[in-house]
Amino acid sequence: MKDSYTHVVLGLGGLGSAACYWLSRRAGTDVLGIEQFELGHGRGESQDHSRIIRKTYHTVPYVRFAEQAYEAWGTVEEDSGEQLVLKTGELNFWPPKTTLDEAAYNESMAACGVPYDILDAAELRRRFPQFRFDGDIHAVYQPDGGLVGAIKANEAHRRLALRNGATLLDNMPVKQIRPVNGGYEISAGGRIFSAEKIVVAGGPWTNRLLAHFGLELPLKVTHEQVTYVDSPHLQEFSPDRFPVWIWMIHDNYYGFPVYGAAGVKIAKDRFSPTDTDSRGFDPDAGNERDVLRFLEDHIPRAAGPVLYTKTCLLTHTPDADFVLDRIPGHPNCVCAVGATHAFKFASVIGRTLSELLIDGQTPADISAFRFDRAALSLPGVWNLPES
Ligand SMILES: Cc1cc2nc3c(=O)[nH]c(=O)nc-3n(C[C@H](O)[C@H](O)[C@H](O)COP(=O)(O)OP(=O)(O)OC[C@H]3O[C@@H](n4cnc5c(N)ncnc54)[C@H](O)[C@@H]3O)c2cc1C
């Protein structure tokens, strides 16, 4: 195995695996990916059966980037021969007390020509009888929304990268990154590799990697969980009958049809602060009770015993926007931070990182994701509730 590469990707979760794939399409054997744990481990952010993909976003650049996300997944599907995106339709429920700006979502979609329907309570009941809401509720339905098969997609990115000649190493924690002769020396798992260009895709461990560049981002890491429920009426929640859905408030509930496991998947943001060393893996019983109560109240035929609950970490930026940029002072190094909602964009983020490193520029509008933006350099104004 060689020890010198043009491109070295640090971290092989959702974003790093995608970066390896897109780099390998153009740089083949000149790509090395390094992961600290086994490939496909569940300690980070990206390993579950499904993640929501949607075009419903609150700004035009996000809606455009989401459209590019579908296109990038299409390329991976073509290349792998596997279906990775499943369009189930997406229902966003807008409760009267929300602090989110519904008009911003609808206007951004309209500006990009993304179709959507506003459903009042009567229409909701007619089209989606699985849901039960009293009183003053309406929802926005967007037919392109759905899910990405996350575990499958991560495997596809890595498998295709290997097929293109990339080298992927697991159980190799990166311990040191040193600038040497215009490039970098990376120590990992007792070996030393040299790199001309680096992708930092460390998820919740990002700041440990950035410390080698003398940098730190104002990131917070929280503990989250998703629950699979053993519904007695599973067939009513199949992807062709039941859409992905989001309750549009800040610490929201969201859910999925049956996919990957024999249960209906539901989650409520936990936002429970933790760190990568002290985090536990036990589910929070209160959060489980909340999601079961939500099902009983609002999706009653999905309610049932818990099949299992899976915990994971989540990385936040103060403004909930990604970091997707060159690392200041290191024009040949780039960094991506998912900021709680990046899985749907994993492939297009990988493509964008590859363009920044190989072409020196990208056609994607990533101006909101700059490393040096005010929200990351001023004392943090956090969207995250204190707890
Ligand atoms: C419960 C939950 C639900 C979510 N739902 C959605 C959703 O519906 N839709 C959506 O779009 N997004 C969603 N997200 C967000 C999305 O999953 C994340 O933004 C995305 O997966 C982040 O991927 P990542 O590659 O940055 O992080 P990770 O997957 O954590 O990958 C980082 C990798 O870097 C490795 N690493 C770190 N340090 C080192 C080192 N020193 N040496 C070697 N390797 C290292 C880690 O081991 C890890 O494998 C959700 C996240 C969670 C937790």
Side-chain angles (χ1 to χ4, degrees):
M1 195 210 308
K2 51 183 200 162
D3 53 16
S4 179
Y5 294 83
T6 306
H7 306 279
V8 177
V9 178
L10 308 181
L12 297 181
L15 308 191
S17 298
C20 285
Y21 165 67
W22 285 97
L23 284 166
S24 72
R25 283 170 62 96
R26 297 171 66 188
T29 55
D30 252 338
V31 179
L32 169 66
I34 306 180
E35 168 55 45
Q36 64 182 340
F37 301 124
E38 69 279 7
L39 298 180
H41 71 88
R43 299 172 188 82
E45 300 193 45
S46 305
Q47 279 297 107
D48 195 20
H49 296 297
S50 52
R51 292 283 191 247
I52 290 176
I53 183 166
R54 58 185 163 95
K55 294 180 180 173
T56 53
Y57 262 98
H58 55 298
T59 68
V60 166
Y62 266 117
V63 178
R64 297 230 161 92
F65 204 39
E67 293 193 303
Q68 292 163 29
Y70 280 84
E71 182 205 316
W73 287 119
T75 303
V76 189
E77 287 181 328
E78 214 170 285
D79 214 0
S80 66
E82 276 186 287
Q83 185 178 13
L84 303 174
V85 172
L86 191 55
K87 288 189 182 178
T88 63
E90 177 205 0
L91 260 184
N92 284 352
F93 292 96
W94 286 96
K97 282 194 188 134
T98 185
T99 54
L100 301 177
D101 181 358
E102 181 184 353
Y105 283 76
N106 295 348
E107 284 161 17
S108 301
M109 285 192 284
C112 298
V114 171
Y116 63 90
D117 293 331
I118 297 181
L119 310 184
D120 62 17
E123 186 63 4
L124 253 175
R125 270 193 298 279
R126 195 184 67 75
R127 285 178 62 176
F128 299 103
Q130 297 97 330
F131 294 97
R132 187 175 74 192
F133 290 105
D134 302 325
D136 192 15
I137 187 92
H138 71 277
V140 172
Y141 179 74
Q142 207 293 313
D144 299 316
L147 60 88
V148 187
I151 291 176
K152 260 171 89 174
N154 295 333
E155 280 169 6
H157 275 141
R158 290 191 294 260
R159 189 173 64 251
L160 294 172
L162 288 169
R163 194 189 71 188
N164 292 340
T167 301
L168 306 184
L169 301 177
D170 63 354
N171 294 306
M172 301 271 277
V174 171
K175 297 284 189 208
Q176 179 85 45
I177 306 167
R178 278 196 324 127
V180 179
N181 301 329
Y184 297 86
E185 204 176 74
I186 298 166
S187 312
R191 296 194 50 189
I192 297 192
F193 301 97
S194 66
E196 285 175 34
K197 304 181 182 194
I198 291 178
V199 175
V200 171
W205 295 265
T206 297
N207 272 330
R208 292 225 182 126
L209 290 167
L210 288 178
H212 301 293
F213 297 89
L215 293 167
E216 183 180 4
L217 284 168
L219 305 178
K220 288 188 183 176
V221 175
T222 62
H223 210 162
E224 306 296 336
Q225 64 191 42
V226 300
T227 297
Y228 288 84
V229 175
D230 186 8
S231 157
H233 308 287
L234 276 188
Q235 68 287 354
E236 294 171 28
F237 300 95
S238 61
D240 56 337
R241 294 175 70 180
F242 187 68
V244 296
W245 59 271
I246 306 176
W247 185 245
M248 296 296 282
I249 54 176
H250 195 67
D251 52 342
N252 65 344
Y253 291 85
Y254 57 96
F256 298 75
V258 179
Y259 181 87
V264 174
K265 177 175 162 185
I266 179 166
K268 175 181 191 261
D269 291 332
R270 221 173 113 177
F271 293 150
S272 162
T274 188
D275 62 62
T276 51
D277 292 332
S278 66
R279 65 84 56 100
F281 288 85
D282 290 336
D284 176 65
N287 185 285
E288 265 185 4
R289 272 196 303 278
D290 287 350
V291 298
L292 291 180
R293 194 174 315 121
F294 190 94
L295 285 184
E296 277 158 18
D297 290 346
H298 300 303
I299 320 180
R301 285 172 70 81
V306 169
L307 195 60
Y308 68 93
T309 292
K310 181 179 191 307
T311 62
C312 59
L313 298 178
L314 190 63
T315 306
H316 303 251
T317 55
D319 54 4
D321 287 328
F322 308 140
V323 177
L324 180 51
D325 198 2
R326 290 191 182 78
I327 296 178
H330 298 266
N332 288 329
C333 300
V334 291
C335 177
V337 180
T340 76
H341 55 113
F343 198 89
K344 68 185 73 58
F345 297 102
S347 205
V348 72
I349 287 176
R351 185 173 81 189
T352 304
L353 293 166
S354 76
E355 289 161 350
L356 287 172
L357 289 189
I358 295 174
D359 305 324
Q361 57 186 3
T362 173
D365 179 359
I366 52 171
S367 50
F369 311 144
R370 290 175 63 92
F371 209 106
D372 63 359
R373 66 184 185 263
L376 301 183
S377 47
L378 298 173
V381 182
W382 281 90
N383 270 334
L384 196 58
E386 293 298 332
S387 53

